[in-house]
């Protein structure tokens, strides 16, 4: 599937995508309030995350329309600058740094790599595209220098996916289907580990990488989810009900897995809404009028973020939520100026109109 279409069709696509986003994000906020009211929870964290995504998306749409390449470069530079200047993205006890802040750092570096690669594809000339890929490689190296193994691996994967996206201009739908499948498989890992559904040898191997403490938190989250599958225990209440968290000195009260946290605190509906928010981002990228390599690269970065969030605490950082919304907005904005020649390559004349 390609993105070639007339202005009217592009407008209709964006209206549908925007309406879907309003419904999904609104439902996330409302459900958090409902579950908090039932169980005396604290929905502020969820509401802040929803607001951060919406604000980032709106800012990305505006900046991407005015400065389609420069805004992406600025987003990438800002992300790296935040990580280098403030390695600990928010204050917290030192004991939780390996579980929490490492995931936040990896997520910001991954989104920054995605923005840099999108900027390269959005550039007008091959020389500029090559030049703008150098910062993307630099971000991968920076992640390694900072000791962020997850950030280095995820950023490298986004860079490789971006290069592959250049060969998929006529297969946009297949690319997004592959990203959705990848996200489903990676986010299913903590469920399989928590439910002891994996072979013992693989579980022992993963325990060495993920730490026993994290896996114990996942077990607690799954237990709480089974206790009240419909509504969960209420937003923000995992820390006070988890046996592992209460035994840990200076615990941050998080299970360090976004899907399991949603299941424990907001039930099955919360998990479905989290999945819907991710699917909405992929959908709006799929429907975007921007060139296929740009939107597939952004989709790859968001998929890598979903993988990081499934085994970490990345979505608890407002910086990450804003960055995810910003990247999606930048990659779906319709520039006020003429787009890169990539658009012309993706469409071929058929009579008196453009057709895929």
């Amino acid at each position: 599937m390609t993105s070639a279409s007339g202005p009217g069709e592009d407008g209709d696509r964006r209206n549908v995508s925007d309406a879907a986003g309003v419904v999904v994000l609104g439902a996330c906020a409302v459900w958090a309030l409902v579950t908090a009211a039932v169980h005396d929870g604290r929905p502020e964290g969820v509401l802040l995350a929803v607001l951060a995504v919406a604000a980032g998306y709106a800012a990305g749409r505006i900046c991407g329309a005015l400065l389609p390449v420069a805004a992406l470069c600025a987003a990438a530079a800002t992300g790296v600058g935040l990580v280098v200047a403030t390695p600990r993205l928010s204050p917290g006890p030192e004991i939780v740094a390996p579980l929490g802040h490492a995931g936040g750092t990896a997520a910001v570096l991954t989104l920054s790599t995605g923005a840099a690669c999108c900027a390269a594809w959005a550039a007008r000339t091959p020389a500029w595209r090559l030049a703008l890929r150098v910062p993307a490689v630099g971000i991968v190296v920076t992640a390694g220098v900072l000791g962020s193994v997850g950030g280095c691996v995820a950023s490298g994967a986004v860079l490789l996916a971006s290069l592959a996206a250049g060969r998929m201009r006529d297969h946009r739908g297949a690319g997004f289907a592959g990203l959705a499948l990848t996200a489903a498989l990676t986010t299913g890992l903590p469920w399989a580990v928590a439910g002891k559904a994996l072979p013992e040898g693989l579980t022992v191997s993963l325990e060495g990488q993920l730490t026993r403490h994290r896996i114990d938190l996942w077990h607690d989250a799954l237990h709480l989810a089974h206790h009240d599958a419909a509504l969960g225990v209420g937003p923000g209440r995992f820390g006070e009900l988890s046996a592992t968290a209460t035994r840990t000195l200076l615990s941050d009260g998080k299970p360090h897995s976004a899907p399991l946290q949603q299941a424990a605190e907001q039930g099955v509906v919360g998990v479905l809404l989290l999945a819907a928010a991710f699917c909405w981002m992929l959908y709006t990228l799929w429907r975007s009028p921007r060139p296929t390599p740009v939107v597939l690269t952004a989709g790859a970065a968001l998929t890598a973020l979903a993988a990081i969030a499934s085994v970490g605490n990345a979505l608890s950082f407002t910086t990450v939520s804003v960055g995810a919304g910003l990247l999606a907005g930048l990659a779906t904005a319709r520039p006020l100026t003429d787009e890169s020649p990539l658009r012309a390559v993706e469409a071929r004349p058929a009579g008196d109109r453009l057709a895929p």
Side-chain angles (χ1 to χ4, degrees), residues 256-285:
H256 296 274
S257 172
L260 285 173
Q261 181 172 352
Q262 286 292 96
E265 297 185 345
Q266 298 185 51
V268 175
V269 176
V271 176
L272 294 177
L273 287 173
L274 180 64
F278 175 74
C279 290
W280 162 66
M281 286 191 172
L282 290 189
Y283 174 77
T284 194
L285 288 168

Side-chain angles (χ1 to χ4, degrees), residues 28-257:
C28 290
V30 170
W31 185 248
L33 292 172
V34 169
T35 53
V38 173
H39 292 294
D40 194 24
R42 297 179 294 277
E44 296 83 5
V46 178
L47 297 179
L48 179 60
V50 171
L51 179 60
V53 171
Y57 182 75
R61 288 285 290 269
I62 295 170
C63 295
L66 297 174
L67 301 166
V69 178
L72 285 163
C73 293
T78 301
V80 176
L82 284 173
V83 170
V84 173
T86 56
R88 293 168 58 83
L89 296 180
S90 67
E94 187 69 27
I95 193 170
V96 302
L99 284 182
H101 298 281
T105 298
V108 172
L109 290 171
T110 300
L111 292 173
S112 297
T113 304
C117 292
C118 286
W121 280 120
R124 293 177 177 275
T125 63
W128 272 110
R129 290 180 209 136
L130 180 61
L132 289 173
R133 286 197 179 95
V134 174
V137 176
I139 296 173
V140 179
V141 175
T142 300
V145 171
L146 293 175
S148 176
V149 178
C152 186
V153 172
S155 297
V158 171
L159 179 59
L160 293 176
S162 177
L163 295 175
R167 300 180 177 274
M168 299 189 67
R169 296 190 179 97
D170 296 326
H171 305 283
R172 177 181 290 204
F176 279 106
L179 292 177
L181 179 60
T182 300
L185 292 175
T186 54
T187 55
L189 174 63
W191 293 88
V193 173
K196 300 180 180 179
L198 297 177
E200 184 177 353
L202 179 57
T203 301
V204 172
S205 175
L206 289 173
E207 183 177 326
Q209 300 294 323
L210 297 169
T211 73
R212 184 69 238 177
H213 176 63
R214 190 191 307 260
I215 293 177
D216 288 341
L217 289 172
W218 291 356
H219 288 316
D220 290 351
L222 192 59
H223 174 74
L224 292 175
H226 287 159
H227 178 70
D228 191 341
L231 297 173
V233 298
R237 298 194 64 212
F238 175 82
E240 62 191 66
L241 298 176
S242 165
T244 302
T246 54
R247 289 196 306 264
T248 303
L249 182 64
L250 299 177
S251 171
D252 63 352
K254 307 290 184 182
H256 296 274
S257 172

Side-chain angles (χ1 to χ4, degrees), residues 112 292 297:
S112 297
T292 293
T297 297

